[in-house]
Amino acid sequence: MQRINKTLYANIRKYKIEDKVKANELLKLWDKVIADFMPHAVKQTMAISYEKGVLKIAALSKDIAYQIHLYQKRLIQMLNDLLGKRMVFKIVCEA
């Protein structure tokens, strides 16, 4: 298994797709972060896309979108900490 992982990571670096892999990981991490920070919003939000430091989130209500806006800095910090890299600079949440 270690050999497969080593080969996989070597190819990721070789083809310079590290940022795309991290962006995909980021979209998956949203559920974990929102579950830890705002458990009531887990089933009411979804990470839609990531581009140039901006994470786009869809929310089922304006109330949840507003809460995400209020706690944006903390959520960004949590996401970047989990990624081990500063990738997210802004969260845009639309209801």
Side-chain angles (χ1 to χ4, degrees), residues 33-72:
V33 168
I34 202 68
D36 290 346
F37 195 72
M38 295 171 52
H40 63 282
V42 173
K43 294 185 179 183
Q44 297 183 36
T45 64
M46 183 175 165
I48 301 296
S49 66
Y50 170 82
E51 189 175 338
K52 297 179 183 178
V54 178
L55 176 62
K56 291 186 182 175
I57 304 297
L60 291 179
S61 74
K62 288 184 180 185
D63 183 49
I64 295 294
Y66 180 70
Q67 289 177 31
I68 289 170
H69 175 73
L70 285 178
Y71 297 114
Q72 178 178 194

